[in-house]
Amino acid sequence: MKVVNLKQAILQAWKERWSDYQWAINMKKFFPKGATWDILNLAEALLEQAMIGPSPNPLILSYLKYAISSQMVSYSSVLTAISKFDDFSRDLCVQALLDIMDMFCDRLSCHGKAEECIGLCRALLSALHWLLRCTAASAERLREGLEAGTPAAGEKQLAMCLLRLEKTLSSTKNRALLHIAKLEEASLHTSQGLGQGGTRANQPTASWTAIEHSLLKLGEILASLSNPQLRSQAEQCGTLIRSIPTMLAVHSEQLHKTGYPTVHAVVLLEGTMNLTGETQPLVEQLMMVKRMQHIPTPLFVLEIWKACFVGLIESPEGTEELKWTAFTFLKIPQVLVKLKKYCHGDKDFTEDVSCAFEFLLKLTPLLDKADQRCNAADREHAPQLKSGENANIQPNPGLILRAEPTVTNILKTMDADHSKSPEGLLGVLGHMLSGKSLDLLLAAAAATGKLKSFARKFINLNEFTTHGNEELAKAASVRALLFDISFLMLCHVAQTYGSEVILSESSTGAQVPFFETWMQTCMPEEGKILNPDHPCFWPDSTKVESLVALLNNSSEMKLVQMKWHEACLSISAAILEILNAWENGVLAFESIQKITDNIKGKVCSLAVCAVAWLVAHVRMLGLDEREKSLQMIRQLAGPLYSENTLQFYNERVVIMSSILEHMCADVLQQTATQIKFPSTGVDTMPYWNLLPPKRPIKEVLTDIFAKVLEKGWVDSRSIHIFDTLLHMGGVYWFCNNLIKELLKETRKEHTLRAVELLYSIFCLDMQQVTLVLLGHILPGLLTDSSKWHSLMDPPGTALAKLAVWCALSSYSSHKGQASSRQKKRHREDIEDYISLFPLDDMQPSKLMRLLSSNEEDANILSSPTDRSMSSSLSASQLHTVNMRDPLNRVLANLFLLISSILGSRTAGPHTQFVQWFMEECVDCLEQGSRGSILQFMPFTTVSELVKVSAMSSPKVVLAITDLSLSLGRQVAAKAIAAL
């Protein structure tokens, strides 16, 4: 018996009435191995023959059912064949097709190649479109039947269609496959739009747009039907279909919690240490925390406000409380405006803010304490104030709000031509110096992002006053005052808000202003060691000699045509000559007093420059050589009691004293010397010298962490202690010791609290901490079997959560600028990440050599030159991510390590840790977050992960694969289809 083609074989079987198994046996004889039944389109051929008449051919249908049950044909080929039938008027044929779908629509699978799994996704999309069209046709017939008075038949078929729709869509696996199909279809349209693609053969052109249109049409028809059960069923199906594109976006919010210490600490950190920072990075960081911890918006906004009021209540009196008031009433409103754009819908956000405000109004004790700090009447009785004088320096929100437009007006005034009305400008600056006006205005400028502009104007003014051409005595004194006030203000700004606020954007060829040059090379700052023999301190010797003569011989400083910048640069060499003369008995103490009076008598900036050099000089002297230098600092620090001083002398001395106290703090502590600076009624260095003497810093670290963990939140003082310890011990020491404390914790609620607190503490320098945590500490714990016990639950779960939070935060922000507090910190090279993870792909990295005792696994992983699917190929390589970036490199190697652990034959707490790490990654992901940290995970890890019971869900697979890539969609389809 010879068969010419498939159609003839089916017809012969029907004529001879073969049973289904006889048919299958004979078919295998007719068509020897080679071409598969799908390539021959067996399912389509059988359906074509079965559906020729008004009712289906039961025998040929039995062949198709047998072919499905025995897996002769794939589910995708059957779905594709069904979706080509469009004569919905033939009820019995439609019912037969629905019955066939019923056999497998809720248990679809495919164990073939990735392309076949993508084919199943496309076929399911076409089948869904067909089901919707079929349902709409049945609903239309029911409507017509109702009008004609014969509803029964149409209602039965509509119910059958809806039942199959519901059964298909209620499977998460099917919705995940449809999600991939939708993305695949969008990608195909894009490539066709770019002239790169064509239509696929034998595929009905079902698109997501067509499905949405069919859904709308079905809704319109059903709206006119009276059966509530059918309408409810259809609405439920519609909801499931509409949820497919966003099936990764749904997260349950933490409604059981009332306090969020991470939000609290991030706000405190920003208010205490980074008032001048831009609002955008803060907004992004807060939104990252909100997403990672699934915080409801009203409680999120409430926590921001709570942190602001707590920060204000606990801030030290003086400048700090003014900064906190500016932060709360000027900067946080800007933050809320930006947060509104991230939250869905203006109306919803407004309602959430109103809700948060209602919660805030119930926190009476908090509001009472904040009110006490802000109002003069209550302030006199405030227990934390050290001086009665400060009862008048209130951080009043009204004053801060009024200071903001004043800042704008001053900036406009500063834009005018200084040569036309220098006296008027001096009047404005003199007014700024009175009382706490300066700190109030600076706080307002810092909180509104105007401080850099403010500083730039004063640098320009300072530069303008360096030369005086043919001037009279009055003009000379005005110029001297403008130079002095601008110099002192700039020093004060640099010490209060950080020197980076002063520095201009470097432009090639532009001359660097005098003050910038002096500040960078001569001004003592925390963490900056100055060399007293640096060329900057040694200008032209003739200028030095004339300055020494002027200081020693004159009764007071001359002003006319004085080049103040040259005097400031020459004073260091002049002081050294004077010191030597004093040491050698050439000058008596009375002469030294006269000289120091001359230095500080007219312009305070000369005294500041002199002390700056003396501080650097004292550091280099032996214990018995320091006395005269320190005595000279004492002489320069006190005010001059004389009637012959220039305007605003007392106000200028107050600022000078504050500047000198900051400059001398470190050297006075190191030399165990005390110098009494004129009291300004304010603690000018509130967060300085916080560490207890003669205690190992590790003890201090563990003690302070234990206290904040017990308390449940981080206060401003603790933040400063952590910052000091991070600065002293270095990033690795700091991170490693805090992780050890976390791993000691065995109480579940305390470990979760510890994670929230540690994340906020790590925000002090998140980038560097993340490199250490992911590049050193985690690999060390995961590759050393003697440490695996420490990774058990609960501390192991907590560490996994912390590691993911740090990785996500650093990765989302590392393309931006480092914050000012991070720029200030000295960068130590923990280890060169390029040598730790070498760029030469032929050379296995240190981490790869640690990976596994199983040689076979290690060999596979340590040769990334093999770019096949069995190796380390990841989405990041297809996105051509820069692997010279240390964070990218660390993430890529961590995911290689995770892949190795999942694929190894040894299970243990480290395997469980990897599972927790991946679960947290999935939990924190956003919908469509292409370019997340998971792009560094090798594609092969997906198939390993789905073997872990907790990770074997379609949603997890969708979340961990990069669906923007064709290969990512194939990997996801293959993994989901095999579940």
Side-chain angles (χ1 to χ4, degrees), residues 458-627:
F458 277 97
I459 282 178
N460 293 339
L461 171 63
N462 185 262
E463 200 67 8
F464 163 75
T465 58
T466 51
H467 295 88
N469 301 318
E470 296 184 9
E471 58 187 355
L472 299 171
K474 188 181 178 186
S477 67
V478 170
R479 185 172 62 84
L481 281 167
L482 290 176
F483 175 86
D484 201 39
I485 291 170
S486 58
F487 186 96
L488 293 172
M489 280 187 179
L490 288 166
C491 285
H492 184 61
V493 168
Q495 287 181 340
T496 312
Y497 294 99
S499 54
E500 59 283 345
V501 177
I502 304 291
L503 299 175
S504 55
E505 305 300 324
S506 55
S507 53
T508 51
Q511 188 178 352
V512 181
F514 153 72
F515 184 82
E516 275 190 55
T517 308
W518 179 85
M519 185 188 72
Q520 286 180 290
T521 51
C522 307
M523 183 175 171
E525 285 182 278
E526 186 188 355
K528 184 164 97 178
I529 304 298
L530 295 175
N531 174 9
D533 299 324
H534 190 280
C536 71
F537 291 120
W538 306 109
D540 183 357
S541 58
T542 53
K543 290 175 183 171
V544 175
E545 285 168 18
S546 60
L547 181 60
V548 170
L550 184 66
L551 293 170
N552 194 26
N553 301 326
S554 306
S555 57
E556 61 179 49
M557 210 59 185
K558 75 159 193 164
L559 303 177
V560 177
Q561 292 185 10
M562 184 72 176
K563 294 180 178 177
W564 292 111
H565 65 301
E566 288 184 2
C568 285
L569 291 172
S570 304
I571 194 76
S572 48
I575 288 287
L576 180 61
E577 282 199 26
I578 293 161
L579 259 180
N580 286 337
W582 187 17
E583 293 274 2
N584 294 313
V586 176
L587 288 175
F589 180 64
E590 291 72 23
S591 302
I592 299 299
Q593 278 184 311
K594 178 190 165 193
I595 289 168
T596 52
D597 285 352
N598 270 340
I599 291 173
K600 65 188 178 185
K602 296 292 185 189
V603 290
C604 297
S605 41
L606 268 185
V608 171
C609 294
V611 172
W613 178 80
L614 281 165
V615 165
H617 179 64
V618 168
R619 284 181 189 277
M620 304 299 169
L621 298 176
L623 198 61
D624 55 344
E625 301 171 316
R626 296 170 176 167
E627 188 188 338

Side-chain angles (χ1 to χ4, degrees), residues 115-170:
E115 291 82 359
E116 293 168 31
C117 299
I118 287 287
L120 176 60
C121 298
R122 289 201 202 98
L124 184 58
L125 190 70
S126 298
L128 175 63
H129 187 219
W130 180 84
L131 267 175
L132 284 169
R133 285 163 55 223
C134 184
T135 309
S138 303
E140 186 65 51
R141 285 184 62 199
L142 173 58
R143 187 165 69 177
E144 288 167 3
L146 283 168
E147 288 165 3
T150 55
E155 191 162 296
K156 183 185 172 188
Q157 183 154 317
L158 178 58
M160 284 177 69
C161 289
L162 286 171
L163 192 66
R164 299 315 181 281
L165 251 182
E166 196 171 31
K167 194 174 177 182
T168 304
L169 291 166
S170 58

Side-chain angles (χ1 to χ4, degrees), residues 634-707:
R634 273 194 196 91
Q635 289 296 316
L636 289 165
L640 176 68
Y641 297 103
S642 163
E643 293 178 7
N644 199 18
T645 53
L646 295 176
Q647 266 180 295
F648 312 118
Y649 184 68
N650 291 337
E651 291 87 346
R652 285 183 288 132
V653 165
V654 169
I655 301 176
M656 178 188 82
S657 296
S658 166
I659 293 165
L660 296 186
E661 190 172 355
H662 275 84
M663 278 185 176
C664 298
D666 281 347
V667 81
L668 294 182
Q669 186 185 34
Q670 287 158 12
T671 57
T673 308
Q674 285 191 331
I675 291 180
K676 176 133 179 65
F677 292 91
S679 172
T680 58
V682 176
D683 181 3
T684 52
M685 300 184 66
Y687 292 119
W688 185 77
N689 198 17
L690 292 171
L691 299 188
K694 298 180 182 176
R695 252 192 104 189
I697 57 171
K698 187 180 175 186
E699 272 183 33
V700 180
L701 181 66
T702 53
D703 186 44
I704 192 75
F705 181 66
K707 281 178 183 168

